[in-house]
């Protein structure tokens, strides 16, 4: 008994593949670099280019990750310079005034980097009564501990 079914050929079809979905949008990496460097999010870029966020993520995630790291480093360096201040100097014959240290930036960086806190904890005993602090005099000042 012979089979009447036709045998499949293992050769690719000659027909062109069916076009499904939208045609690809031509987006240059240079344009994405500029937007990412300027601080735009993937969502903002997708909205501006009228494409889905998944398209931007799929094609350009490494660019956004690189620029996110660069922005963090630059911002950290700027905050640190602000906290330290800069001395007066002359650059290319132009005098630049000194910038005093920024105490607010110093406090913020201390809280972030050194886990400092301005929270004062008052010790209490088992009954919840406040334990008196001890004070000592150093010169004209009193120090509590």
């Amino acid at each position: 008994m012979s089979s009447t079914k036709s045998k499949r050929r293992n050769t690719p079809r000659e027909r062109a593949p069916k076009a499904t979905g939208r045609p690809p949008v031509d987006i240059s990496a240079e344009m994405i670099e500029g937007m990412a460097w300027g601080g735009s999010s993937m969502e903002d870029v997708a909205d501006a280019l009228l494409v889905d966020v998944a398209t931007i993520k799929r094609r350009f995630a490494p660019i956004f990750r690189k620029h996110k790291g660069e922005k963090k480093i630059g911002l950290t360096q700027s905050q640190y310079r602000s906290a330290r201040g800069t001395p007066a100097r002359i650059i290319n014959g132009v005098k630049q005034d000194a910038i005093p240290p920024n105490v607010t930036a110093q406090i913020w960086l201390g809280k972030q980097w050194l886990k400092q806190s301005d929270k004062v904890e008052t010790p209490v005993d088992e009954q919840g009564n406040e334990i008196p602090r001890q004070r000592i005099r150093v010169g004209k000042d009193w120090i509590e501990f």
Side-chain angles (χ1 to χ4, degrees), residues 58-85:
R58 183 178 61 251
R59 293 170 61 182
F60 302 107
I63 292 173
F64 281 90
R65 194 168 79 239
K66 173 187 165 204
H67 286 290
K68 182 178 181 182
E70 289 173 349
K71 284 185 289 190
K72 282 183 172 182
I73 289 169
L75 182 57
T76 302
Q77 289 173 345
S78 294
Q79 288 173 324
Y80 187 68
R81 279 193 302 271
S82 175
R84 288 184 58 189

Side-chain angles (χ1 to χ4, degrees), residues 12-136:
R13 293 184 174 185
E14 297 293 323
R15 286 187 277 169
K18 290 184 180 180
T20 58
R22 292 175 145 182
V25 178
D26 185 30
I27 304 171
S28 72
E30 292 80 22
M31 179 172 50
I32 298 298
E33 284 267 352
M35 293 174 139
W37 188 85
S40 298
S41 68
M42 286 188 203
E43 291 79 12
D44 293 340
V45 171
D47 288 344
L49 299 176
L50 303 175
V51 297
D52 191 45
V53 176
T55 301
I56 300 298
K57 284 182 183 178
R58 183 178 61 251
R59 293 170 61 182
F60 302 107
I63 292 173
F64 281 90
R65 194 168 79 239
K66 173 187 165 204
H67 286 290
K68 182 178 181 182
E70 289 173 349
K71 284 185 289 190
K72 282 183 172 182
I73 289 169
L75 182 57
T76 302
Q77 289 173 345
S78 294
Q79 288 173 324
Y80 187 68
R81 279 193 302 271
S82 175
R84 288 184 58 189
T86 56
R89 55 190 173 175
I90 297 175
I91 298 178
N92 296 328
V94 178
K95 182 184 177 198
Q96 292 184 340
D97 293 332
I99 300 172
N102 183 325
V103 176
T104 304
Q106 291 172 346
I107 292 169
W108 188 86
L109 288 172
K111 289 178 180 180
Q112 302 305 309
W113 292 357
L114 306 175
K115 305 299 180 210
Q116 295 173 341
S117 170
D118 48 13
K119 177 181 173 186
V120 178
E121 295 183 19
T122 304
V124 293
D125 60 16
E126 294 83 25
Q127 287 81 29
N129 299 320
E130 188 175 315
I131 298 173
R133 295 176 167 263
Q134 295 182 2
R135 292 173 31 149
I136 60 170

